[in-house]
């Protein structure tokens, strides 16, 4: 018997898990770790959503198997959200499917549409499921840059010209996890035209659709006329409504891809717990003030973090969207590498961040900082970081 199974051999050690294990051990030892590593919202969902969950959970007939693709009400609610937010028309029957978070949706679609040996274009750095969902399904990944500049388009054209077999799928994720970069509608218009010309499916991950800052709403690829011919888009309620553990997401768009996803999911699962689906309907259909409130809160955290870390001697670019900052290592410590820097920051400053190399080789030299602690804790993190930098001989601002 071989030592390892075929698919397991294709998965490298999860670098981020190494730092997570160290963080867990430190907390077990009683240390006060300020955790900016995982994008795990620290805010509660709206009260009316929890009330609906409890109400439906008390019904005797609510505990059987649910609908794998989502109950009709939740698919209608998601279609209505796209209509309100993006002015996009969706058929709840053929163009919307509920997923157990966008992560499961991407992995299940990869299983549905990928044959061993297919080539998939994925950003580097990227959220791990954007590559490993397809690697598990047997695909080969060809990396393209995450930054949406001219180098991005040159990379796409090179991939089509020189890759055998020709790539058949492209993953995009804006606002980006981990880099927090954003795009405008013109980018999506160019991308849809490129995909049609090259006969490539586009899978857009829009998990951070509502966490945008400075009054600049994120755009959907489906706003582009004809985008549904080539694209599906994934969204999630995890960040928008602080419902990460509920595992509620959606895929919408191209009917052929949605049908393939529904078919695979019908073999794999019976859908989310019905009370969770009913409560998710309440979130989508009910008052939306929580969305604006969360957005304002994350923007304030961003401003506090960028200012406080800057005063501590670590300059961080201000993210335009998402709940993350993509921070270059302090120049004096760049040689340390992102994994070692993250380990030392955890051990010596009691601040957990995610090493950039965990998101792909092009993430080296950066760490991802999640804005999931309150302003007071962010300021405490900055004080700890300043002491850490001083201990390493880094010149920090006076005061």
């Amino acid at each position: 018997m071989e030592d390892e199974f075929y698919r397991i051999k294709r998965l490298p050690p999860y670098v981020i898990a190494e730092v997570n294990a160290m963080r867990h051990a430190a907390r077990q030892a009683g240390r006060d770790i300020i955790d900016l590593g995982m994008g795990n919202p620290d805010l509660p969902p709206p009260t009316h959503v929890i009330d609906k969950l409890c109400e439906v959970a008390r019904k005797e007939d609510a505990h059987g198997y649910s609908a794998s693709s989502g109950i009709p009400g939740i698919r209608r609610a998601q279609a209505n959200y796209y209509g309100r937010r993006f002015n996009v028309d969706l058929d709840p029957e053929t163009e919307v499917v509920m997923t157990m978070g966008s992560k499961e949706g991407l992995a299940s679609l990869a299983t549905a549409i990928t044959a061993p040996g297919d080539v998939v274009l994925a950003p580097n750095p990227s959220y791990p499921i954007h590559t490993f969902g397809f690697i598990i399904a047997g695909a080969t990944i060809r990396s393209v840059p995450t930054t949406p500049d001219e180098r991005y388009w040159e990379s796409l054209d090179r991939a089509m010209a020189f890759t055998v077999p020709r790539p058949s799928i492209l993953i995009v994720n804006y606002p980006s996890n981990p880099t927090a970069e954003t795009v405008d509608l013109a980018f999506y218009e160019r991308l849809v035209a490129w995909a049609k010309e090259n006969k490539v499916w586009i899978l857009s991950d829009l998990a951070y659709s509502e966490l945008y800052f400075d009054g600049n709403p994120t755009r959907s690829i489906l706003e582009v006329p004809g985008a549904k011919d080539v694209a599906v888009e994934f969204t999630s309620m995890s960040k928008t409504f602080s419902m990460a553990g509920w595992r509620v997401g959606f895929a919408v768009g191209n009917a052929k891809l949605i049908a393939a996803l529904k078919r695979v999911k019908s073999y794999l699962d019976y859908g989310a717990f019905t009370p969770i689906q009913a409560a998710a309907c309440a979130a989508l259909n009910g008052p939306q003030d929580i969305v604006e409130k969360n957005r304002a809160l994350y923007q304030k955290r961003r401003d506090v973090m960028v200012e406080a870390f800057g005063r501590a001697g670590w300059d961080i670019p201000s993210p335009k969207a998402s709940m993350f900052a993509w921070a270059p290592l302090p120049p004096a410590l760049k040689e340390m590498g992102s994994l070692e820097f993250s380990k030392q920051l955890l051990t010596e400053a009691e601040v957990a961040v995610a090493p950039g190399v965990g998101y792909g080789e092009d993430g080296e030299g950066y760490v991802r900082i999640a804005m999931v602690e309150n302003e007071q804790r962010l300021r405490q993190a900055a004080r700890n970081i300043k002491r850490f930098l001083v201990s390493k001989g880094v010149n920090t601002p006076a005061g």
Side-chain angles (χ1 to χ4, degrees):
M1 294 178 75
E2 288 197 31
D3 291 342
E4 260 194 306
F5 299 110
Y6 164 72
R7 283 185 172 80
I8 301 303
K9 281 194 291 191
R10 300 194 74 202
L11 298 177
Y14 195 33
V15 171
I16 297 163
E18 202 176 328
V19 179
N20 288 347
M22 288 177 64
R23 180 196 64 217
H24 178 71
R27 280 192 162 158
Q28 291 293 100
R31 297 181 66 188
D32 179 25
I33 303 298
I34 300 171
D35 188 3
L36 309 178
M38 190 174 178
N40 195 7
D42 60 320
L43 309 166
T47 304
H48 71 275
V49 175
I50 297 171
D51 290 344
K52 177 59 75 173
L53 175 74
C54 297
E55 174 197 324
V56 179
R58 290 191 184 97
K59 295 182 178 178
E60 291 183 3
D61 62 353
H63 298 271
Y65 294 126
S66 192
S68 172
S69 60
I71 58 176
I74 198 158
R75 285 183 277 114
R76 281 196 303 272
Q78 178 67 353
N80 290 338
Y81 161 73
Y82 260 80
R84 287 192 313 268
R85 174 70 166 79
F86 301 113
N87 199 27
V88 168
D89 252 344
L90 292 170
D91 181 342
E93 293 302 314
T94 60
E95 295 176 334
V96 180
V97 59
M98 181 183 172
T99 64
M100 293 185 188
S102 55
K103 191 173 183 180
E104 178 273 327
L106 276 156
S108 292
L109 186 58
T111 302
I113 66 173
T114 308
D118 281 358
V119 176
V120 173
L121 302 174
N124 188 346
S126 73
Y127 186 55
I129 197 66
H130 296 152
T131 51
F132 291 109
F134 291 87
I135 287 170
I136 290 167
T140 298
I141 301 295
R142 175 158 178 153
S143 293
V144 295
T146 302
T147 301
D149 55 15
E150 280 308 309
R151 200 168 66 92
Y152 179 85
W153 301 103
E154 291 163 10
S155 179
L156 289 186
D157 288 338
R158 268 201 315 277
M160 298 314 294
F162 299 113
T163 312
V164 180
R166 278 167 66 89
S168 54
I169 297 165
L170 168 67
I171 317 296
V172 292
N173 170 216
Y174 299 105
S176 166
N177 178 6
T179 70
E181 290 168 294
T182 59
V183 294
D184 57 15
L185 196 58
F187 174 88
Y188 286 135
E189 288 168 347
R190 187 173 175 183
L191 196 66
V192 168
W194 177 88
K196 288 186 174 185
E197 182 184 336
N198 288 282
K199 298 181 171 54
V200 171
W201 294 114
I202 300 174
L203 312 186
S204 167
D205 184 354
L206 191 63
Y208 298 91
S209 59
E210 298 308 328
L211 285 186
Y212 58 82
F213 307 135
D214 308 314
N216 293 316
T218 50
R219 308 302 295 260
S220 162
I221 194 171
L222 298 182
E223 292 179 72
V224 178
K228 281 195 283 186
D229 296 340
V230 292
V232 292
E233 190 157 69
F234 292 86
T235 55
S236 165
M237 300 187 73
S238 295
K239 314 307 189 293
T240 306
F241 295 99
S242 300
M243 294 166 63
W246 296 49
R247 309 314 302 133
V248 179
F250 299 92
V252 304
N254 180 270
K256 184 175 181 180
L257 292 178
I258 295 297
L261 177 53
K262 280 184 178 179
R263 183 141 185 211
V264 162
K265 278 178 64 60
S266 72
Y267 285 94
L268 295 179
D269 70 65
Y270 282 112
F273 186 37
T274 301
I276 285 179
Q277 296 198 43
C281 285
L284 286 167
N285 294 333
Q288 299 297 297
D289 52 335
I290 186 72
V291 180
E292 180 60 45
K293 185 179 168 189
N294 282 356
R295 186 183 301 130
L297 184 141
Y298 280 112
Q299 180 168 326
K300 186 76 193 334
R301 287 181 179 180
R302 175 200 68 172
D303 294 343
V304 165
M305 183 186 69
V306 168
E307 190 266 337
F309 283 32
R311 277 195 294 109
W314 188 6
D315 289 327
I316 294 173
S318 183
K320 295 178 182 175
S322 85
M323 64 196 312
F324 304 114
W326 186 237
L329 301 188
L333 303 180
K334 192 170 182 183
E335 292 304 310
M336 196 181 279
S338 63
L339 180 57
E340 184 59 28
F341 175 84
S342 300
K343 288 178 176 179
Q344 291 196 24
L345 199 67
L346 178 67
T347 306
E348 299 177 35
E350 298 188 319
V351 175
V353 297
V357 73
Y359 301 94
E361 62 187 80
D362 290 351
E364 184 52 272
Y366 293 82
V367 294
R368 192 194 73 174
I369 304 171
M371 298 180 280
V372 291
E373 295 259 19
N374 64 39
E375 293 167 33
Q376 182 185 343
R377 296 279 282 170
L378 290 171
R379 289 192 172 97
Q380 177 63 50
R383 290 192 290 272
N384 293 6
I385 286 165
K386 179 159 190 168
R387 284 198 301 273
F388 170 73
L389 293 176
V390 169
S391 76
K392 298 295 178 189
V394 177
N395 290 325
T396 62

